[in-house]
Amino acid sequence: MMTPQHLGAFYIGAGIALCIIVPVGIILAFKLTQKSAEWYYNQAIDLYANGQTEKAVQFLKKAIAMEPDFANAHYNLGLLYLQQEDFNQAQECFENVLSLRPDDLESKYNLALLAYDAGRYDEAEALILAVLEQAPDDGDCYYTLGLIFEAKQEAEQAKEAYQKAAELAPKNINAYLFLGKLQDQSMQLDEAIETFKHVLELDPNNLEANYDLSITLAKKGDWDGTIHYSQRAVDIDPSYAKAYNQLGLAYYCKEELEPAIENYQKAIEIDPTYGNAYNNLGYAYQKAARYADAIRMFEIYMEKSSEDPQEVAEIREHIELLRKKLLE
């Protein structure tokens, strides 16, 4: 795992969190009477520990002004700029570190994350691969590499990277989650089920894993399993509209129309903009011979969600057929 040194800070981007923590107590302060670069550097660490981030930035700048080759000061200043979301300044700081310490893994890793967040995926990939040449067993790097490959729409390479990340860091839930999603998308359904169930072994209350597993089981036509894991998702988060919609789908496919309708209605109650739930509820009403209600749902769906002219035409034609049924 990447463990950048000195000041503690958090860099959060694109769903990843780089936690950089070093107890301040292990840093030996220089008891210098003269205000040297080291004095300003140590004062900056103390200031940061006491929540005075902006003043810590100013003291690190003074340390660098006095000693331009002070790599640790550049690095910690970069961390503070990350915390302040001043990404251009952070990038400059980490590049300064690499000009002084070309093999600095933490700076390369942070630069890779910055490049990833900025959409410079080739640059991010090159930096991560450079880190992996020096630290081939770093699971965090493989996880980040998976994110980069996925952003580049290179699904097979992303799956390989997530798999490697999971092997090196078996408790990395995100690596398994993203791996499972890609397995599901490529219709490797049995593999996806196994992956999501592994996440639930680590964290039974993981909302995303319960919901994603219900999606995969639905693709296999396992409606009882879909209901079980969708229900687990709404038990964990009663405001999760998508899980209610998924419950509605499973009951609908089991020909159990009343619970299907109830769950679709609940999804809409939670999220009145949820177009897919209106469409699904329309079909449930139609199957229950509640044609007026079905027409109303299809009209709302058409208004809220349908932007495809061909789909709009098909919905209107469908509504006309339902109106004829009302007259029969």
Side-chain angles (χ1 to χ4, degrees):
M1 180 177 182
M2 300 304 300
T3 54
Q5 55 192 316
H6 306 295
L7 287 177
F10 290 91
Y11 173 47
I12 302 175
I16 44 183
L18 176 61
C19 181
I20 306 166
I21 304 175
V22 174
V24 174
I26 69 170
I27 301 174
L28 298 177
F30 289 89
K31 295 183 178 179
L32 303 174
T33 55
Q34 184 179 2
K35 292 184 179 180
S36 64
E38 289 85 356
W39 185 91
Y40 280 109
Y41 176 76
N42 282 286
Q43 288 298 307
I45 291 172
D46 290 339
L47 288 164
Y48 176 78
N50 291 313
Q52 299 182 60
T53 302
E54 189 53 49
K55 197 167 183 181
V57 168
Q58 297 307 316
F59 273 53
L60 286 172
K61 286 182 177 179
K62 289 181 180 179
I64 291 168
M66 296 181 71
E67 191 176 324
D69 292 345
F70 199 162
N72 285 349
H74 285 286
Y75 180 78
N76 283 291
L77 182 58
L79 294 183
L80 294 186
Y81 280 135
L82 283 181
Q83 194 175 48
Q84 295 176 341
E85 297 187 356
D86 189 340
F87 300 135
N88 289 333
Q89 292 278 18
Q91 178 171 331
E92 182 178 339
C93 287
F94 295 130
E95 288 172 347
N96 288 338
V97 175
L98 289 180
S99 70
L100 299 167
R101 296 195 304 231
D103 292 331
D104 190 276
L105 297 182
E106 291 80 10
S107 292
K108 288 179 184 178
Y109 186 64
N110 283 328
L111 284 170
L113 295 178
L114 286 167
Y116 171 80
D117 276 352
R120 303 192 306 271
Y121 301 128
D122 289 338
E123 178 185 340
E125 179 185 348
L127 285 162
I128 286 294
L129 290 175
V131 174
L132 284 170
E133 286 183 4
Q134 296 172 259
D137 295 330
D138 193 297
D140 287 347
C141 281
Y142 277 106
Y143 171 69
T144 304
L145 187 61
L147 293 174
I148 294 165
F149 281 136
E150 193 167 357
K152 293 175 69 175
Q153 299 183 341
E154 297 176 0
E156 290 305 313
Q157 293 93 322
K159 279 192 284 188
E160 290 176 8
Y162 290 139
Q163 185 67 60
K164 187 70 173 177
E167 290 171 3
L168 292 169
K171 293 185 180 180
N172 186 337
I173 285 178
N174 282 336
Y176 283 103
L177 276 174
F178 284 106
L179 175 61
K181 290 174 189 290
L182 288 176
Q183 289 169 334
D184 175 87
Q185 290 169 17
S186 59
M187 296 304 290
Q188 294 175 288
L189 301 182
D190 291 334
E191 292 86 344
I193 289 169
E194 182 179 345
T195 300
F196 291 135
K197 284 186 174 179
H198 179 76
V199 174
L200 293 176
E201 289 174 4
L202 298 173
D203 180 10
N205 292 323
N206 188 285
L207 177 65
E208 198 169 354
N210 277 287
Y211 176 70
D212 287 343
L213 181 51
S214 78
I215 296 288
T216 305
L217 290 169
K219 291 181 179 180
K220 288 181 70 72
D222 181 353
W223 303 117
D224 289 334
T226 301
I227 289 169
H228 175 78
Y229 288 103
S230 297
Q231 186 63 55
R232 283 285 302 129
V234 299
D235 289 343
I236 295 164
D237 181 1
S239 67
Y240 197 17
K242 287 184 177 180
Y244 284 105
N245 183 63
Q246 187 71 359
L247 272 171
L249 172 65
Y251 281 118
Y252 176 87
C253 291
K254 290 188 69 175
E255 304 283 339
E256 298 180 27
L257 296 181
E258 284 308 310
I261 289 168
E262 289 173 8
N263 280 285
Y264 288 141
Q265 289 173 335
K266 184 67 175 177
I268 290 167
E269 178 186 332
I270 293 168
D271 182 3
T273 68
Y274 194 177
N276 193 38
Y278 287 102
N279 187 53
N280 289 342
L281 182 54
Y283 280 106
Y285 280 143
Q286 179 181 329
K287 201 163 191 175
R290 295 170 59 176
Y291 300 124
D293 290 330
I295 289 169
R296 183 164 51 88
M297 291 303 107
F298 289 131
E299 287 177 338
I300 295 173
Y301 170 70
M302 185 168 57
E303 176 187 342
K304 288 183 176 291
S305 300
S306 185
E307 299 178 356
D308 181 355
Q310 182 177 348
E311 184 184 27
V312 169
E314 290 172 355
I315 294 171
R316 285 176 175 162
E317 183 179 346
H318 190 71
I319 288 172
E320 287 305 311
L321 292 173
L322 292 177
R323 286 195 174 118
K324 289 178 182 178
K325 284 184 176 293
L326 278 173
L327 299 175
E328 292 177 357

